[in-house]
Amino acid sequence: MTDPAQHEDEYTDELIAFLESIWGWGFLSPGGPEEVARIVDAIDLAGKRVLDVGCGSGGISLALARDHGAGEVVGIDVEGPVIAKAAERAAEVGLADRVAFQRVEPGPLPFPDASFDVVFSKDAMIHIPDKETLFADVYRVLKPGGWLAASDWLISHDDDPSPEMKRYLEAEGLSFGMASPERYRRALEAAGFQDVRLVNRNPWYREVAREELAALEGPLYERAAAASSPATVDHNIETWRAMLTVLESGEHCPHHLHAVKPVG
Ligand SMILES: C[S@@+](CC[C@H](N)C(=O)[O-])C[C@H]1O[C@@H](n2cnc3c(N)ncnc32)[C@H](O)[C@@H]1O
């Protein structure tokens, strides 16, 4: 992902349809609107200008405006199919005046300094390996006093991934650049953030992922296969099995991330 020209779409229409059959309308990550509400729980979004980094097919950006009162949400993503889907949906639910979607190149955020009150992101920063540059740029586009509120998929250490983790990453096949909670914290603090808080969501997602796998192997199979294809579902059942192994060991550890850009 360092060379923008080489980025190829990974979230194709078929993968979007498959993931939404598990995670819901506009969601390419687990937990639905309830998990989004937990991430923004401590923040008053009313009337705020929010950037959603890696917005995917749009359900979360729309929820930030509809359920949490954000005044304006700008959802950005590097892939065309997800942005097309998200824009369609904003129009469908009548929120296109407050929620805009924009395809961007991988790399620096294309916004002026101090232009957002809140930067939100859900399970997308995993695709950006250089956490230090990422958080310096998030800090730059935030107004003084602004918040970063995010969740992401982390690895418990920065050594070589275990054979089980390598098996999972290979099965997933997406361009993941995972890093440890310690590296995230250091990168956030080095960028200048204060009140950095990381909360391990492994205990929650470990349970949820077990249920997702049971559903995929059972009652959800036909619907997910009709939305995508039987081959996609079969492949993802294998991916979920590999993922559960590293969730059970704790090596795969989704986290919530919160940090504040100081006022002075
Ligand atoms: C797992 S999906 C999550 C989407 C959405 N946040 C959600 O939770 O439904 C990850 C998203 O990150 C996007 N992405 C990958 N690299 C990115 C980058 N450098 N900048 C912004 N988005 C990126 C992908 O295209 C994909 O839509």
Side-chain angles (χ1 to χ4, degrees), residues 18-42:
F18 168 73
L19 294 175
E20 290 192 355
S21 71
I22 316 173
W23 289 328
W25 186 93
F27 282 79
L28 305 184
S29 68
E34 296 79 12
E35 181 64 358
V36 174
R38 286 180 212 115
I39 297 166
V40 297
D41 183 36

Side-chain angles (χ1 to χ4, degrees), residues 25-235:
W25 186 93
F27 282 79
L28 305 184
S29 68
E34 296 79 12
E35 181 64 358
V36 174
R38 286 180 212 115
I39 297 166
V40 297
D41 183 36
I43 303 170
D44 180 9
L45 288 184
K48 299 277 165 47
R49 183 161 199 254
V50 181
L51 175 66
D52 181 5
V53 177
C55 60
S57 53
I60 295 181
S61 301
L62 294 168
L64 294 173
R66 186 193 54 222
D67 305 342
H68 300 280
E72 184 190 350
V73 183
V74 180
I76 59 165
D77 204 289
V78 294
E79 302 209 348
V82 293
I83 287 293
K85 188 72 75 188
E88 232 171 70
R89 282 167 170 170
E92 206 180 294
V93 297
L95 281 171
D97 55 334
R98 282 164 60 207
V99 184
F101 293 104
Q102 193 176 325
R103 197 179 80 75
V104 300
E105 295 298 337
L109 297 167
F111 301 102
D113 297 359
S115 46
F116 292 94
D117 299 295
V118 175
V119 173
F120 179 93
S121 182
K122 184 151 192 305
D123 305 348
M125 290 171 163
I126 183 174
H127 288 288
I128 305 173
D130 183 348
K131 312 299 175 195
E132 291 72 17
T133 302
L134 168 66
F135 290 133
D137 208 27
V138 168
Y139 187 91
R140 179 185 67 75
V141 301
L142 274 173
K143 297 177 188 172
W147 282 79
L148 167 68
S151 100
D152 203 17
W153 285 13
L154 278 60
I155 182 168
S156 61
H157 59 88
D158 290 309
D159 300 329
D160 224 24
S162 69
E164 292 75 21
M165 185 59 122
K166 284 184 180 151
R167 186 143 43 78
Y168 161 60
L169 293 172
E170 205 179 302
E172 191 73 79
L174 299 169
S175 59
F176 282 177
M178 294 174 105
S180 70
E182 290 70 29
R183 181 156 168 222
Y184 271 73
R185 176 177 292 282
R186 275 200 310 274
L188 285 162
E189 289 176 349
F193 281 105
Q194 288 182 350
D195 299 330
V196 174
R197 279 189 296 123
L198 280 82
V199 175
N200 191 348
R201 297 291 289 151
N202 171 287
W204 167 77
Y205 190 47
R206 189 196 308 202
E207 292 301 317
V208 170
R210 259 188 225 129
E211 290 162 18
E212 290 167 352
L213 177 59
L216 277 178
E217 289 171 329
L220 189 56
Y221 185 94
E222 293 301 335
R223 185 151 55 84
S228 54
S229 68
T232 294
V233 182
D234 293 341
H235 170 75

